[in-house]
Every structure is written in C-alpha cells, then in structure tokens.
Amino acid sequence: MNQPESNTKVYIEIVRQLRVMIEKDGLKAGDKIPSERELSERLNAGRSSVREALRALELLGLIETRRGEGTFMRDFRGNQLVQLLSTFILQDEKAKKDVVETKKLIEMDCLQLASLKRGHESYGLKEWVLKQEDLKDDCFFQKVAELANNHLLFRIWQILKDYYHSLQMEISEPSGELYVKLAEALESGDQETILAAYRKLRNLSVD
Amino acid sequence: MNQPESNTKVYIEIVRQLRVMIEKDGLKAGDKIPSERELSERLNAGRSSVREALRALELLGLIETRRGEGTFMRDFRGNQLVQLLSTFILQDEKAKKDVVETKKLIEMDCLQLASLKRGHESYGLKEWVLKQEDLKDDCFFQKVAELANNHLLFRIWQILKDYYHSLQMEISEPSGELYVKLAEALESGDQETILAAYRKLRNLSVD
DNA sequence: AAAAAGACTGTGGTCAGACCACCAGGGAGA
DNA sequence: TCTCCCTGGTGGTCTGACCACAGTCTTTTT
C-alpha cells in the first residue's frame, strides 16, 4: 500500500481502498470490479493479499466471483452470511433470548416511527393488508419497517429477522385479523393503541 | 481437501472444516487454533487457501490473529456483521439522519429494558451518576445499555454510537443534572417519566 | 549464581511465480 | 453466413521464499 499504511494488515487496507473505490466510481450491484491482478498492481500489493480481501468480502456476501469472468458487486441484502454467522454465534441460550427480545423492540420502534412519519400520504396499509391473502408476518413488518422510512433501522430489522428464523423455534403465525387491527391502530396515530395492538399480536403481557 | 470436495471453493470447505473442528474440540473464546501451516497440512490444502479462510473469519470477527503467536478464537457474541455491512451502506445524507434517529430509538429501548429488568438489585445508577464528575454522555448510556442486560442490543448501540461520532456533528453535552433526573426516573420504573426525562435530556419535543 | 545478551524456533504477513480451469470473443475454415 | 477452435484474460490453487515478531533456550557477562 502507499501512504496510509502503518501496522494495519494489507488486506484490511485493501478492503478500505475497495470501499473508497466503490464509492468514488459509484459501483452498483452487478458492476464489475477490477481484476485481481490489476488491483494488486494498482494498490501495489501482492495478489494473494488482494485475494484475502476479496475472499473476505465474498464470504460477507458483498461481492461475487465468477471464474473466467471476474469479480462483481453484489446486491447485498442477501442473508447467506447471516446464516453462516448464526451457526457460529448463536450458541448459548441467552443470546437467543436477546435476539427475540431485540427483534420485538425494533419492531415497536418501527411501528412508532411509521406512525409519526405518516401524514404526508395516508399509506393505505390497512387496504394492503386486506388485499393480501395468507399474509406472512415478515411481510407485514417489512412493510412497516419501510414505512418507518429509516433505512438503517430497516436493515437492522432484516438482520434480526434472519437471526430469528435461524433459531429454529416454533413460530406462531397470528391470525390475519390482528394485522388489520394493528394497521388500524397505526393509522389512528396513537402510540398506546399501537403498542397495545402489537402486544396482542405478539401475545405479550407488559413489555 | 479430501472427500467432500466437488465444485465448492477450497477456502469455503476450510471454513466448514474449521467449524467442525471448533465444535468437535469444544474450542472456546481465547483458545488457540492450529497454525496455518499445520492446517494446510491436516486439511491437505495450500497455505494460501487456509489463509483466505482465516482472513474471512477474521473480518467477520470470529477469530483473532497475533503475529508471532498464533490464531485464537474470539468472543463473538456481538455482530461485527452489522458494523461491516453498514460501513458499506451508510453513505448518503439520509443515512446520517437515520443514524441519529436510530440511536435515539435504541437508547429509549435500553432505558425501557433497563427499567423492566431492574428489581433484582436496585442498581445504584443515581449514586453512580452523582459520583462521576464530568460525566460523558456515552459513558452514561453505556451503563444503561449494560443494565438492559441484552448483549445484542448493547452491541447495536455501540455501533450506532461509533457511527454517530463519525458523523462529525456538533454534539451538545447536556448538563449533569439531567442525567440525575433520568436516573431517578429510571428507578421510579414508570415508562412515561423515563421517556419524558430522556426527551428533556436530548432536547426533543415529541418523538 | 544471577542477570543480561544472544541464538533458535515457531508463528503470522507478504510476495512472486507457476499452473490449472474456465469463459468470452475473434479469426479461420467450411 | 455459420461453425469451430484458438487465444487472451480471469479466478482458483499451490509452492517456496523471505520478513517481522514473540517466546524460549542457551550462552555470555557481571
């Protein structure tokens, strides 16, 4: 590497450089990344170091490599990474409880946010819910998370959702009526009503 | 690799094998992993392939390497994952607002959780606050996040905090008195009181 | 004998070069 | 025009080499 090196490992620096490059060139999903050999030359590093960086990013699901073709940006909303991590991470019981608990909290946050941020357009959530047949829980909350209009929170929710599913617990799908109720509560705009509807949906008592 | 090879890349197979090895040998955080050279021999693969696997796991925060010493298991209960993904994702202006907003939400969640989960020991938060001189905001909420007793949520908060600081905004440190008030509210156990105190601290109106 | 200096061994960190397998595109031949 | 093959570029992998560093053992010095 050229300047910003000191004691950081080369492959870490390469990851940094790649991120800069991606941002600067505005690379999107599907776009091609310079070849390993070119990168190693441009960044003044060995090809093996470049590979270490790329392999890491690949395992994270951020890029995709096709032999004989090249390396490409990926639409990293994927979750294969979460699956991998979860096999490593979610071992003790406490961690599982944390996931369940945190997911609920984030969902409540999303609801709250969504109710605060509506107004502009009365997002016809209720109509949408009614139109769906066999509404999936994830699907509903994905919608809510989007309405919250906070990309970061949405991402966090997605990750939690994936973790949640990897827990392999028996998941109860509430009846469709409860979603309608929740949608109505959301449009009422009253925090208490919303939370009450959510608790009913999740079968919670106090928290 | 020996048997289970087909078209999967070697480094992926190594990751698999490592996971098996970790499970079989019951390796815990802090334990040492066989050296790269030994692994490459045991798994019948080149050292560079082993490295690619290890680097990937390292970037994921699952292992830690120390030059001259070896490679070690790491306490990976947090999700480095969020951290990494978001560095790639948080780029535009909207994202910054999301960070600020989300941090507040998470902090409120922590407060809520902390208030629900106390009871066992009346964590002398107020006393602790009073003892501190020149209390830092982060420091206070770190304490709260710990009291919430949810490692995952704690991690998320930490990450948000880091991002928050990287935003380079002018950060106002509230007066110490407000923290005392918040601590008192927390010990009262009443949700409304707590949120009101938090809003006053953060200078918020409704949300 | 005790302490300090040095050599040795094992580890990760990095690089260069060599193959291989694969894919796409272009040119030669039908 | 169509088909086939060749060639160049790409990722996939391995090997061997060298460096930097940490811990240990040995030797030297005090």
Side-chain angles (χ1 to χ4, degrees):
Chain A
M1 312 311 316
N2 7 18
Q3 311 87 26
E5 186 190 17
S6 52
N7 46 23
T8 53
K9 309 181 191 184
V10 173
Y11 91 99
I12 293 285
E13 183 55 29
I14 302 218
V15 169
R16 269 177 36 79
Q17 295 287 339
L18 277 174
R19 210 178 54 202
V20 170
M21 194 178 301
I22 288 169
E23 182 167 9
K24 196 163 68 69
D25 300 356
L27 295 185
K28 293 287 183 187
D31 288 351
K32 189 161 180 237
I33 289 177
S35 78
E36 297 180 351
R37 289 170 176 86
E38 184 182 337
L39 281 175
S40 92
E41 198 171 341
R42 287 226 312 239
L43 300 179
N44 195 25
R47 193 182 155 210
S48 47
S49 293
V50 171
R51 293 204 99 243
E52 289 180 9
L54 290 179
R55 270 347 95 219
L57 293 182
E58 183 181 60
L59 197 64
L60 278 171
L62 299 175
I63 60 173
E64 175 187 6
T65 59
R66 295 200 280 272
R67 169 189 275 176
E69 297 183 62
T71 306
F72 303 84
M73 296 288 300
R74 196 168 159 178
D75 180 19
F76 37 75
R77 295 163 165 73
N79 48 357
Q80 114 269 11
L81 127 88
V82 177
Q83 193 174 1
L84 198 146
L85 276 183
S86 56
T87 59
F88 275 93
I89 292 173
L90 300 178
Q91 290 171 342
D92 53 271
E93 276 304 311
K94 177 66 171 59
K96 295 185 181 177
K97 281 184 192 149
D98 285 356
V99 171
V100 176
E101 183 177 77
T102 308
K103 176 162 175 279
K104 284 175 187 165
L105 284 170
I106 298 293
E107 284 175 352
M108 287 195 275
D109 289 339
C110 287
L111 285 167
Q112 194 174 334
L113 226 46
S115 100
L116 284 172
K117 286 189 180 173
R118 82 197 189 305
H120 316 280
E121 75 272 41
S122 77
Y123 48 61
L125 183 60
K126 184 180 169 189
E127 289 69 29
W128 179 82
V129 170
L130 287 172
K131 239 190 326 198
Q132 309 296 316
E133 38 190 283
D134 190 29
L135 175 62
K136 294 288 182 220
D137 190 84
D138 287 342
C139 207
F140 177 80
F141 278 98
Q142 164 141 3
K143 203 83 180 175
V144 172
E146 284 167 3
L147 288 174
N149 190 34
N150 181 323
H151 202 74
L152 178 56
L153 198 61
F154 180 47
R155 281 275 199 271
I156 294 177
W157 177 79
Q158 281 188 312
I159 293 166
L160 287 173
K161 177 203 61 158
D162 291 334
Y163 274 129
Y164 187 74
H165 283 141
S166 70
L167 290 182
Q168 311 264 33
M169 318 185 326
E170 73 296 349
I171 298 175
S172 65
E173 286 278 342
S175 84
E177 192 187 336
L178 290 174
Y179 292 103
V180 181
K181 284 270 174 58
L182 185 49
E184 283 173 352
L186 207 46
E187 288 175 6
S188 84
D190 180 58
Q191 297 294 319
E192 275 311 311
T193 314
I194 296 173
L195 291 185
Y198 178 77
R199 288 199 199 93
K200 194 169 275 178
L201 185 81
R202 285 274 181 267
N203 233 339
L204 299 177
S205 51
V206 193
D207 79 316
Chain B
M1 313 310 316
N2 7 18
Q3 312 88 25
E5 186 190 17
S6 52
N7 46 23
T8 54
K9 307 181 191 184
V10 173
Y11 92 98
I12 292 286
E13 183 55 30
I14 305 229
V15 169
R16 271 177 36 80
Q17 295 286 338
L18 276 175
R19 211 177 53 202
V20 171
M21 193 178 301
I22 288 169
E23 184 164 7
K24 195 162 69 70
D25 299 357
L27 295 185
K28 291 286 183 187
D31 289 350
K32 190 155 179 256
I33 289 177
S35 77
E36 298 179 350
R37 290 171 176 84
E38 184 183 337
L39 281 175
S40 91
E41 197 172 341
R42 286 226 313 239
L43 300 178
N44 195 26
R47 191 181 157 213
S48 47
S49 294
V50 171
R51 292 204 101 242
E52 289 180 9
L54 290 178
R55 270 347 96 218
L57 293 181
E58 182 180 61
L59 197 64
L60 281 172
L62 300 175
I63 61 173
E64 175 187 5
T65 60
R66 295 199 281 271
R67 168 190 275 174
E69 297 183 64
T71 306
F72 303 84
M73 298 287 301
R74 203 171 154 181
D75 178 21
F76 41 70
R77 286 193 303 166
N79 46 349
Q80 192 96 353
L81 134 81
V82 182
Q83 157 110 16
L84 241 138
L85 284 186
S86 15
T87 36
F88 272 88
I89 290 165
L90 296 184
Q91 287 168 359
D92 51 85
E93 269 305 311
K94 173 68 170 58
K96 295 186 180 177
K97 282 182 193 152
D98 287 355
V99 171
V100 176
E101 184 177 78
T102 307
K103 176 162 175 280
K104 285 174 187 165
L105 285 170
I106 298 293
E107 283 175 353
M108 287 196 273
D109 288 339
C110 288
L111 286 167
Q112 194 174 332
L113 225 48
S115 102
L116 284 170
K117 286 190 180 173
R118 82 197 189 306
H120 316 278
E121 75 272 40
S122 78
Y123 47 62
L125 183 59
K126 184 181 169 187
E127 289 69 28
W128 179 83
V129 171
L130 288 173
K131 237 188 330 193
Q132 309 298 313
E133 37 190 283
D134 189 29
L135 175 62
K136 295 287 182 218
D137 190 85
D138 287 341
C139 207
F140 177 80
F141 278 97
Q142 164 139 6
K143 202 84 178 171
V144 172
E146 283 167 4
L147 288 174
N149 190 32
N150 180 325
H151 204 268
L152 180 56
L153 198 60
F154 179 48
R155 275 294 215 253
I156 294 177
W157 178 79
Q158 280 187 312
I159 294 163
L160 288 172
K161 179 203 59 159
D162 290 340
Y163 278 124
Y164 188 73
H165 286 141
S166 73
L167 292 183
Q168 310 264 34
M169 316 185 330
E170 72 296 352
I171 298 175
S172 64
E173 285 278 341
S175 83
E177 191 188 336
L178 291 174
Y179 292 104
V180 181
K181 285 269 175 58
L182 185 48
E184 282 174 351
L186 206 46
E187 287 175 7
S188 83
D190 180 58
Q191 296 294 319
E192 276 310 311
T193 314
I194 296 173
L195 291 186
Y198 178 76
R199 288 199 199 91
K200 192 169 275 179
L201 185 81
R202 285 273 181 268
N203 233 337
L204 300 176
S205 50
V206 193
D207 80 315

